[in-house]
Amino acid sequence: MLNQRAKILLKTLVERYITEGQPVGSRSLSKFSGLDLSPATIRNVMADLEEMGFVASPHTSAGRIPTHQGYRFFVDTLLVVKPLELIEIHQLQDQLHPDNPSRLISAASQLLAELTRFAGVVVAPKRSTAIFRYIEFMTLSEKRILLIIVTPEGDVQNRVLFTDRTYSQAELTEAANFINQNYAGCAIDEIRTRLQSELKQLRHDTTQLMTAAIEAGGAAIKENSENVVVAGEHKLLDVYDLSSNTTSLKKLFDLFERKTALLQLLEFSRKAEGVQIFIGGESGGVTLDEFSMVTAPYEVDGKIVGTVAVIGPTRMAYERVIPIVDVTARLLSSALSQH
């Protein structure tokens, strides 16, 4: 579709715009492209690229900037990815060693944010079974009790239980102690089986409460089993292109708040192999025209279980962000598989 000369000029234009953030004129293209072309020839090629939708002319400048279509062609065809520096690889390896899975996920999102200066996002693996570390009961009113469930990873879930009668604090403490001493660390399905026989040992008036607590606790853990960890959102406020565009930033921060929508957005990459790049509206149901998302799935024992991603401006250094996302996904896969 494009001849070699047009490709070189488009590649130069995208690279200069990413570096400088200003519309790129023919003089700059002549200087950095390495082509011996007259300004008139360069302007003709730019006019052709603009007609094809790869570049656009801001009203305030004679230079041009890449469009989403231009970025897409650049990423798919012209981009030369730079390998990570050894110091960066060592930094990732040091932070992503086999350890508590919840800390690994958090560390990965933080590292993505630190290394790219954009938002780092990691979708944690779904829990295959519902397990709790301990529970607590708190009285809310006469027949309403707050159930607090803490998972082995330290996540806290709350559920309100509606009871047929009022329980004293002593009864609530006794019920919580019995559950924690006998069932902490067990899968909910196993607890259900054991409850039927073991609760006969206790007074009948607390068995109903404990049965309700186990059912509600299991549902809460499974309902929140797929967690999205976001780090470095505030770094986007330092990006010049975005700091002046409060409407776009508000849309993105709303997305970070609505974890379900963010999960749907990242679901695209879980179905694909390797690094995927979504520019502007390509990312599906949520329109984020000013942003790009670089994603990669990660595995545990050969099975894809989650996604790592960097979300930043369309004017990002793709050649640097891509290997950071790729290596993070690979190291996370290795660390979790050893756990």
Side-chain angles (χ1 to χ4, degrees), residues 118-279:
F118 302 135
V121 183
V122 181
V123 179
K126 284 184 177 179
R127 296 185 190 93
S128 55
T129 56
I131 298 173
F132 68 91
R133 192 166 78 201
Y134 66 89
I135 70 165
E136 293 179 13
F137 293 114
M138 285 182 59
T139 303
L140 294 177
S141 63
E142 284 189 359
K143 294 184 180 180
R144 289 169 65 241
I145 296 170
L146 180 65
L147 169 66
I148 304 166
I149 314 110
V150 181
T151 71
E153 295 81 23
D155 295 334
V156 180
Q157 303 295 333
N158 298 317
R159 286 294 183 275
V160 176
L161 301 180
F162 296 89
T163 59
D164 292 335
R165 71 169 184 85
T166 302
Y167 288 89
S168 68
Q169 189 56 52
E171 288 175 313
L172 295 179
T173 301
E174 179 190 7
N177 287 342
F178 181 87
I179 292 173
N180 292 332
Q181 289 168 10
N182 290 278
Y183 304 125
C186 297
I188 295 296
D189 292 340
E190 177 190 346
I191 297 172
R192 285 194 191 99
T193 304
R194 291 174 54 185
L195 273 175
Q196 294 175 358
S197 58
E198 294 178 8
L199 286 185
K200 293 174 184 176
Q201 304 166 25
L202 297 182
R203 298 199 317 270
H204 177 70
D205 50 9
T206 58
T207 60
Q208 192 173 6
L209 170 65
M210 286 190 278
T211 302
I214 293 301
E215 290 298 329
I221 293 170
K222 286 187 175 179
E223 185 178 309
N224 293 275
S225 67
E226 191 161 44
N227 192 26
V228 184
V229 181
V230 182
E233 308 100 303
H234 64 281
K235 296 181 187 297
L236 297 174
L237 299 172
D238 298 328
V239 179
Y240 176 76
D241 304 43
L242 305 178
S243 59
S244 58
N245 193 335
T246 54
T247 302
S248 289
L249 269 179
K250 186 178 184 304
K251 279 186 184 178
L252 183 62
F253 277 77
D254 285 347
L255 178 66
F256 289 147
E257 288 294 320
R258 292 182 290 116
K259 296 294 177 69
T260 303
L262 192 54
L263 274 171
Q264 291 171 349
L265 194 61
L266 291 165
E267 190 63 29
F268 284 90
S269 69
R270 188 179 291 205
K271 299 170 184 174
E273 292 185 11
V275 176
Q276 300 291 307
I277 300 146
F278 301 96
I279 298 170

Side-chain angles (χ1 to χ4, degrees), residues 66 73 113 228 310:
F73 188 85
V228 184
V310 166

Side-chain angles (χ1 to χ4, degrees), residues 103-129:
R103 287 204 293 270
L104 271 173
I105 299 301
S106 177
S109 63
Q110 291 285 352
L111 283 167
L112 287 168
E114 287 174 20
L115 290 173
T116 64
R117 312 301 299 170
F118 302 135
V121 183
V122 181
V123 179
K126 284 184 177 179
R127 296 185 190 93
S128 55
T129 56

Side-chain angles (χ1 to χ4, degrees), residues 89-109:
I89 294 175
H90 289 153
Q91 183 181 352
L92 285 164
Q93 289 173 330
D94 289 344
Q95 295 294 321
L96 297 178
H97 51 76
D99 200 346
N100 185 307
S102 66
R103 287 204 293 270
L104 271 173
I105 299 301
S106 177
S109 63

